Amino acid sequence: MGKKKENYGLLNQILYGMAEFYSGGAFVIINTFFTVFLTKALGMPAALAGTIPLVGKIWDAITDPMMGNITDRTVSKFGPKRFYIMIGGIVSALTFIVMWITLPTKSIAGLYVFYLFMYCLFSTGFTIISVPYNGLLPDMIDDYTIRAKFSNVRMIWSTLGSMVCGLVPTFIIKDNLDTGAYMRCALLFGFLFFVTSMVTFAGTWEHPKAPVKTSLLESFPQAASVFKSHSFRLFICIYLFGQCGMDFVSGMAVYYVDDVLNGYGNGYFTYLMAVILISQLLGMLVWGPVMTKTSKKTTILIGAPMRLIATLGLLFISKEGAPIAPILVLTAFIGFGNAATLTSIFSIMADMADVDELITSVRRPGIVSGMATFARKISSGTSAAVIGFLLSAVGYDEVLANSGLRQSIETQHGIVYIYVFVPVILMALLIISGIKFPLTGKEFKVVQTEIARRRGEDSSKITPEEIQICEKVTGLSYDKLWNIDNTRPGGKA
């Protein structure tokens, strides 16, 4: 691989994080508008429309582990992950656009099959870029704190992507029954996603490493083996609960503003998205330094309760004719708290490859990131499906919606309960997972020392405290770690 100069300055942090504009922005558009596009613009039943992202995750269960394995097996002069970021930048932009093509039919079955196929194409494109991107940082940087700085800038880009993708479409899609507006939006953002991905490809580097020698058929047992790690299992819980909480906010926002507040035409939706995203961006600037000075779990345990309390507050002021100001204030606290949890989640993800290497003695960030990416898609797909089912359960009428008419008062109340109580439950689970998560800077340093001992790069003897930390982080006994590959972390058996 051609040698590329490493620089940890702000410019390189910005270049690295730019691809997150796609990851952060694409799902905001999809979570906010795809179900609305299917139900309001095309007249598809809400329960049926909600299953499309969920069924697409079955396809992800195949492609994500395979892409992780492919990434770890690839040799490229660019570095395998950067190579696939380049390829994925092209494919993902195109597949995002095709998802918004309008099919000229009124057949519900035909619409369902077509958009399910389109969604699977998009999901494949997202896999090609996101799996190697999520696995890139561990092969760029070894330091716990520097990784946190790069991850924080990445999350700032994610928030910028969310802001642009949350606000600009509201100016393009002024009438949510206009199918052409959705396609104009898709063309614009498909181009932006392509450009930002190419900048990250050009502005990053990888440390060379030997490719993993596993077949594609081994992708699935390799992916499953990631869950041997106690830290990774808890990380997945943190990832799912944290991301699903915001997926519900963005996925229900149009219904909340349009059907409960009756304020879509008054610009309330734009106000809501602007407040939550601006507060999230400001939060990134605050929580990033806090995280680097404390730990990556500290900000989770601050941000999640903030989100929970602010969301509960919405229960008492959400109705037609309610003043928008207090709703926006509480929304700002939700966005500020989300910044804390989001900053931590992606920084923790980079550390999971090191814990996995301690268990397996193999450096395989692609496999680890493949499962993390799969978890992210599961969170998005599950949220969309649950939103569809819950809307149907509270009596949401897609015929009224397609005609531009109001839902019943009982359905409006049901939408409020979905918008409030589902995120509250998820935040409670996030707090529990954050409390149990065992990895901070102290533990991470021990993990890296043990890996160095395995490689013969550190001749120091392991201490009883380090043994306890290894067991706490991995969830395996020290003897079990030794038995996995007959290599004790302190040297050959």
Side-chain angles (χ1 to χ4, degrees):
M1 184 180 70
K3 184 68 175 176
K4 192 176 182 70
K5 183 178 179 181
E6 298 180 18
N7 190 312
Y8 302 138
L10 180 59
L11 175 60
N12 291 85
Q13 295 173 31
I14 291 171
L15 297 177
Y16 161 76
M18 214 174 224
E20 187 64 28
F21 182 90
Y22 169 60
S23 297
F27 275 106
V28 168
I29 296 175
I30 291 167
N31 292 337
T32 305
F33 288 105
F34 191 58
T35 303
V36 175
F37 169 65
L38 296 176
T39 57
K40 289 183 178 285
L42 301 181
M44 186 182 295
L48 198 60
T51 65
I52 288 180
L54 183 60
V55 174
K57 304 313 159 192
I58 299 174
W59 176 240
D60 289 334
I62 299 172
T63 59
D64 286 351
M66 290 182 67
M67 190 64 216
N69 195 357
I70 289 169
T71 302
D72 285 336
R73 294 169 64 226
T74 298
V75 177
S76 169
K77 67 178 182 179
F78 301 114
K81 296 168 189 65
R82 293 180 63 245
F83 172 75
Y84 287 116
I85 288 171
M86 177 182 65
I87 300 298
I90 300 169
V91 176
S92 61
L94 292 175
T95 54
F96 178 80
I97 293 170
V98 301
M99 200 167 52
W100 305 91
I101 294 172
T102 301
L103 187 66
T105 180
K106 294 293 184 181
S107 167
I108 297 299
L111 289 172
Y112 182 80
V113 172
F114 178 78
Y115 288 104
L116 176 60
F117 179 69
M118 292 296 103
Y119 190 92
C120 287
L121 281 181
F122 158 74
S123 193
T124 301
F126 187 83
T127 293
I128 293 173
I129 186 172
S130 60
V131 169
Y133 183 49
N134 285 334
L136 177 61
L137 191 57
D139 281 349
M140 283 178 62
I141 300 165
D142 296 326
D143 184 86
Y144 180 84
T145 302
I146 296 177
R147 281 183 185 176
K149 291 179 180 179
F150 270 69
S151 294
N152 185 53
V153 174
R154 176 182 173 179
M155 288 304 96
I156 290 174
W157 270 110
S158 178
T159 303
L160 288 172
S162 298
M163 289 178 65
V164 175
C165 295
L167 296 177
V168 173
T170 65
F171 297 108
I172 300 174
I173 307 171
K174 295 181 179 179
D175 178 1
N176 53 35
L177 304 181
D178 180 7
T179 57
Y182 294 95
M183 177 50 70
R184 291 192 293 274
C185 183
L187 289 169
L188 170 63
F189 285 101
F191 173 74
L192 292 177
F193 296 152
F194 166 74
V195 170
T196 51
S197 300
M198 291 302 103
V199 170
T200 293
F201 161 73
T204 53
W205 65 88
E206 285 182 64
H207 295 153
K209 70 178 185 67
V212 174
K213 296 180 180 179
T214 55
S215 68
L216 282 180
L217 291 178
E218 294 178 278
S219 299
F220 307 104
Q222 287 284 318
S225 70
V226 173
F227 288 93
K228 290 179 181 177
S229 167
H230 174 63
S231 293
F232 187 81
R233 294 193 297 269
L234 282 172
F235 163 70
I236 289 297
C237 291
I238 289 170
Y239 199 9
L240 287 176
F241 299 144
Q243 294 297 85
C244 278
M246 287 310 296
D247 287 343
F248 262 90
V249 172
S250 60
M252 288 296 300
V254 170
Y255 299 98
Y256 176 72
V257 170
D258 196 12
D259 297 306
V260 176
L261 304 181
N262 195 22
Y264 194 90
N266 297 329
Y268 283 8
F269 181 70
T270 301
Y271 302 156
L272 190 78
M273 295 303 293
V275 166
I276 197 168
L277 295 171
I278 291 172
S279 63
Q280 185 171 298
L281 178 60
L282 295 174
M284 293 290 179
L285 301 176
V286 172
W287 297 120
V290 171
M291 180 177 64
T292 57
K293 293 181 185 303
T294 56
S295 74
K296 298 171 184 178
K297 68 181 288 183
T298 300
T299 46
I300 290 175
L301 297 179
I302 297 173
M306 186 180 298
R307 288 169 61 179
L308 188 153
I309 294 169
T311 303
L312 273 177
L314 292 172
L315 184 65
F316 306 100
I317 54 176
S318 297
K319 59 183 179 181
E320 184 174 0
I324 191 64
I327 292 174
L328 295 181
V329 170
L330 290 173
T331 298
F333 278 102
I334 293 172
F336 197 74
N338 182 56
T341 56
L342 195 61
T343 296
S344 296
I345 285 171
F346 281 87
S347 187
I348 290 171
M349 183 191 298
D351 301 333
M352 292 300 97
D354 297 88
V355 178
D356 180 73
E357 184 177 358
L358 176 62
I359 295 174
T360 64
S361 292
V362 179
R363 188 73 173 175
R364 49 179 201 168
I367 288 289
V368 175
S369 69
M371 293 310 296
T373 304
F374 177 59
R376 174 68 186 98
K377 292 179 181 178
I378 283 292
S379 75
S380 176
T382 302
S383 298
V386 172
I387 285 172
F389 288 131
L390 291 177
L391 283 173
S392 293
V394 298
Y396 188 83
D397 190 329
E398 62 276 357
V399 175
L400 290 177
N402 189 242
S403 303
L405 301 176
R406 301 274 291 149
Q407 300 291 321
S408 69
I409 190 67
E410 291 80 9
T411 299
Q412 293 177 40
H413 290 160
I415 291 172
V416 173
Y417 297 148
I418 297 170
Y419 192 69
V420 170
F421 285 118
V422 175
V424 163
I425 292 170
L426 291 170
M427 287 308 97
L429 294 172
L430 175 59
I431 293 168
I432 294 170
S433 301
I435 291 171
K436 292 184 175 182
F437 188 70
L439 193 68
T440 64
K442 175 185 176 181
E443 289 81 13
F444 182 77
K445 184 176 180 180
V446 172
V447 168
Q448 287 199 316
T449 301
E450 292 304 289
I451 292 172
R453 289 188 181 116
R454 281 195 175 194
R455 295 173 179 169
E457 298 169 357
D458 189 315
S459 59
S460 64
K461 298 298 183 181
I462 191 167
T463 67
E465 182 185 9
E466 289 175 331
I467 290 175
Q468 290 178 349
I469 288 174
C470 288
E471 292 179 338
K472 180 177 72 170
V473 168
T474 63
L476 300 170
S477 69
Y478 183 68
D479 288 339
K480 179 66 174 177
L481 284 172
W482 171 66
N483 286 329
I484 285 176
D485 65 349
N486 292 324
T487 303
R488 191 180 297 276
K492 292 290 183 181

